[in-house]
Amino acid sequence: MIGNGEIAGQYKAEIVPRLKEKFGYRNVMQVPRLSKVVVNMGLGDAIENVKVIETAAAEIGIITGQKPVVTKARKSIANFKFGKGFPSGSWSRFGGTGCTTFSTS
């Protein structure tokens, strides 16, 4: 597997010049780069079965290798029988070198 330093070096040496040429960027700072990776999962089935949230959080934890955050509803929606504070999803975020490692694996 390629290390983070090798990926960053390859990006700066090979990919940035090609992107500058292809899109006509004048400055290196205009070239897009990876800043963060977010893995999230919204769960509408959590209304009937609360175990779904635990399973989803465990799956995201396995995928990302870190403990995910369980999101809760900000407001109630009566038509969906969904109350404020009910668990509604799960997410995990990578920034910096973690996002490069995650995106290449």
Side-chain angles (χ1 to χ4, degrees):
M1 188 167 135
I2 300 173
N4 283 339
E6 295 174 31
I7 294 170
Q10 179 183 10
Y11 180 76
K12 287 178 185 173
E14 298 173 17
I15 298 170
V16 169
R18 277 194 269 160
L19 287 172
K20 277 181 69 174
E21 180 182 328
K22 182 176 180 179
F23 294 108
Y25 296 131
R26 296 180 186 174
N27 190 342
V28 179
M29 296 304 289
Q30 290 178 309
V31 178
R33 59 189 174 274
L34 197 59
S35 61
K36 69 179 173 181
V37 175
V38 178
V39 179
N40 67 356
M41 187 183 299
L43 301 162
D45 297 337
I47 298 169
E48 294 96 30
N49 188 0
V50 182
K51 285 285 212 184
V52 175
I53 293 287
E54 295 169 7
T55 307
E59 288 175 2
I60 289 180
I62 291 168
I63 292 168
T64 61
Q66 59 187 24
K67 185 180 177 195
V69 175
V70 174
T71 56
K72 299 187 181 197
R74 286 185 226 139
K75 60 182 186 178
S76 299
I77 302 172
N79 292 342
F80 296 115
K81 299 177 185 168
F82 202 67
K84 182 177 180 179
F86 281 22
S88 61
S90 177
W91 66 276
S92 185
R93 177 191 171 276
F94 294 98
T97 57
C99 66
T100 340
T101 306
F102 181 75
S103 64
T104 56
S105 62

